[in-house]
Amino acid sequence: MKVTKTIMKNFSEEIHKLNDLGAIYLLLGAACNMSCRHCVQTPIKSCFNLSPQGENLSQEVKDFIVAWSNLPWKYAENNPRRLYFWGGEPLLYWETIKKLVLEFKQSGVKNVSYRIFSNGLLLNDEIVDFCNENDIWFIMSYDAPNARAARNAVPSKEACKKFLRIRKRTVNTVFNAINDNMAEAFDWLHYTFPETEITCGFINVLSEHTPLDLYQFKPNVVKKSVKNLWLIAKSDSKIAPYIRHWFYSKILRVRNFDKEEFYEYPYPPCRPAVVSLSVNFNGEVMLCHNTDRIVGHITDNFVELQEKHRKIFNELLPVKCKTCEHLDICRCICPIAVQKDGELCYCEYLREFWGAVKEVM
């Protein structure tokens, strides 16, 4: 099936072209040195030299990354393409990351921002220096303000100090029923990690296995949290720009929504195969970086890969979503995770959340 710019207008002009692909998630493996209650990774003792699945990155993946990085890019140099090292916990594969960054630079990879999404437990001076020397962006996940309630560990004070030495850095928190005050989370993170970009996600990976207390919000807490966040976004607080950006990204979803088009192309907001592609060391392309479902191979035609993704998301779209008043902003937030036997899990929370966001906007 040929995808035209008219059909794909909801994403951007000619987004089906490979040169519009903004990010690649390179999946190192599922091993992790934490055992968070809301996660399904593989706990393992700390080390820095685990072998990724496939051990060596296939030449086909290397060639793809080099070719992709050299394609014309529609954005300015201050918004380059991104290459994520993804796990599990990427720092367990640190020796592999170092080797690949240096290889990519020697192989002609250009205008790419290397990024690591990590829990930060293993941060040391060598990692900090290498990130600064090679312009690597380090994103640390830290669920504020009650991190230990959802996770079994947090970075030490020394590790946090090392994180603050990385020039390009972001700290990301997750909104859930334990950390149910987003305004407090932003404020706490700003105090703990000054002069650091702050982002906030919310627990959209809901399934029948999610611990009850992570999504069982008290009455009106979700709406109150969103409204408090909006008040700060309108203030002159130092954290207001981060919060305004968070809301603005949600406003864009509503503005660009086309219901009939979404029924034909029901991509979730993260838009796998439209703005990003997830691939393992063997060249297998996954539906997204949070699932091991294989869609195709890195050598497949890119438009065909998009069509394979589209068909799966079309199958995953719950019937109930089509009549939901918040489809324009939710877009079936994570169809991979929010279903059991074709039915939505915990949709009451999602509707309350999105309804509150639209109300304040």
Side-chain angles (χ1 to χ4, degrees):
M1 175 180 178
K2 184 178 180 180
V3 182
T4 67
K5 73 166 68 175
T6 302
I7 294 175
M8 297 297 286
K9 66 183 179 181
N10 193 37
F11 305 117
S12 76
E13 293 183 0
E14 300 179 342
I15 195 69
H16 60 283
K17 290 185 177 181
L18 179 59
N19 61 302
D20 285 321
L21 190 70
I24 290 178
Y25 289 85
L26 187 56
L27 304 176
L28 298 162
C32 186
N33 54 343
M34 293 179 66
S35 54
C36 302
R37 296 167 62 249
H38 56 280
C39 190
V40 293
Q41 305 293 9
T42 307
I44 192 169
K45 291 183 178 180
S46 298
C47 70
F48 294 90
N49 199 22
L50 283 180
S51 295
Q53 181 183 5
E55 295 192 6
N56 294 312
L57 186 63
S58 73
Q59 190 61 45
E60 293 167 328
V61 176
K62 291 180 182 179
D63 292 343
F64 181 90
I65 291 174
V66 172
W68 164 72
S69 75
N70 282 273
L71 290 170
W73 182 232
K74 59 186 176 182
Y75 295 111
E77 291 183 2
N78 61 355
N79 185 22
R81 291 184 170 99
R82 290 147 293 155
L83 177 58
Y84 288 91
F85 293 102
W86 195 262
E89 168 51 43
L91 296 188
L92 290 170
Y93 307 88
W94 176 244
E95 294 300 325
T96 296
I97 292 175
K98 284 198 305 181
K99 175 185 174 184
L100 287 177
V101 168
L102 297 176
E103 282 187 6
F104 285 148
K105 289 190 172 185
Q106 293 174 354
S107 300
V109 172
K110 298 178 180 179
N111 303 317
V112 167
S113 173
Y114 298 99
R115 303 196 173 201
I116 297 174
F117 205 113
S118 168
N119 58 41
L121 265 66
L122 299 178
L123 265 176
N124 59 28
D125 291 332
E126 180 203 351
I127 294 171
V128 171
D129 292 341
F130 188 87
C131 286
N132 288 336
E133 290 167 5
N134 293 278
D135 211 28
I136 296 173
W137 202 302
F138 198 96
I139 304 118
M140 186 169 74
S141 182
Y142 200 116
D143 292 353
N146 303 308
R148 286 188 180 273
R151 298 168 176 262
N152 70 329
V154 294
S156 66
K157 290 183 179 179
E158 286 303 312
C160 289
K161 289 179 181 178
K162 296 183 190 304
F163 172 68
L164 289 172
R165 286 179 43 219
I166 300 175
R167 285 195 295 271
K168 291 188 174 181
R169 61 184 187 271
T170 298
V171 60
N172 179 76
T173 186
V174 176
F175 175 62
N176 56 48
I178 293 175
N179 291 296
D180 60 6
N181 187 328
M182 287 190 287
E184 183 181 359
F186 271 94
D187 189 58
W188 191 92
L189 289 171
H190 176 71
Y191 174 79
T192 308
F193 303 104
E195 299 180 2
T196 302
E197 180 186 47
I198 306 169
T199 58
C200 179
F202 62 97
I203 188 164
N204 59 343
V205 186
L206 297 169
S207 73
E208 68 272 25
H209 304 299
T210 306
L212 195 65
D213 60 345
L214 286 176
Y215 65 85
Q216 209 169 46
F217 290 86
K218 295 178 181 178
N220 299 318
V221 164
V222 173
K223 184 176 291 188
K224 181 180 178 181
S225 181
V226 172
K227 288 185 175 180
N228 288 342
L229 197 67
W230 178 253
L231 291 175
I232 296 177
K234 295 167 64 179
S235 72
D236 58 358
S237 166
K238 290 184 178 179
I239 61 174
Y242 301 114
I243 300 173
R244 283 196 289 268
H245 177 77
W246 186 91
F247 275 107
Y248 182 66
S249 66
K250 310 304 179 286
I251 292 171
L252 286 179
R253 285 191 200 173
V254 178
R255 286 180 179 173
N256 296 329
F257 184 70
D258 182 308
K259 183 183 289 187
E260 296 305 318
E261 190 172 293
F262 179 82
Y263 291 165
E264 185 69 20
Y265 290 88
Y267 287 95
C270 52
R271 297 178 290 176
V274 177
V275 298
S276 67
L277 206 63
S278 300
V279 60
N280 66 18
F281 271 47
N282 298 323
E284 294 168 322
V285 175
M286 263 65 66
L287 187 62
C288 86
H289 51 275
N290 286 318
T291 179
D292 58 2
R293 183 168 181 175
I294 297 172
V295 176
H297 196 271
I298 198 68
T299 55
D300 294 343
N301 177 274
F302 182 62
V303 175
E304 292 177 0
L305 276 175
Q306 274 196 335
E307 177 62 11
K308 291 176 181 178
H309 280 75
R310 185 197 72 84
K311 285 183 177 179
I312 295 174
F313 285 125
N314 194 48
E315 294 169 0
L316 289 173
L317 182 65
V319 175
K320 290 181 180 180
C321 286
K322 293 188 176 183
T323 57
C324 179
E325 62 179 322
H326 302 309
L327 179 61
D328 55 352
I329 190 170
C330 178
R331 301 193 183 193
C332 187
I333 184 67
C334 185
I336 297 168
V338 299
Q339 300 185 57
K340 178 183 179 183
D341 300 327
E343 294 295 326
L344 291 172
C345 295
Y346 320 130
C347 198
E348 296 80 7
Y349 150 65
L350 293 173
R351 284 197 297 269
E352 183 181 3
F353 181 87
W354 290 123
V357 173
K358 290 171 69 175
E359 183 179 332
V360 298
M361 290 194 310

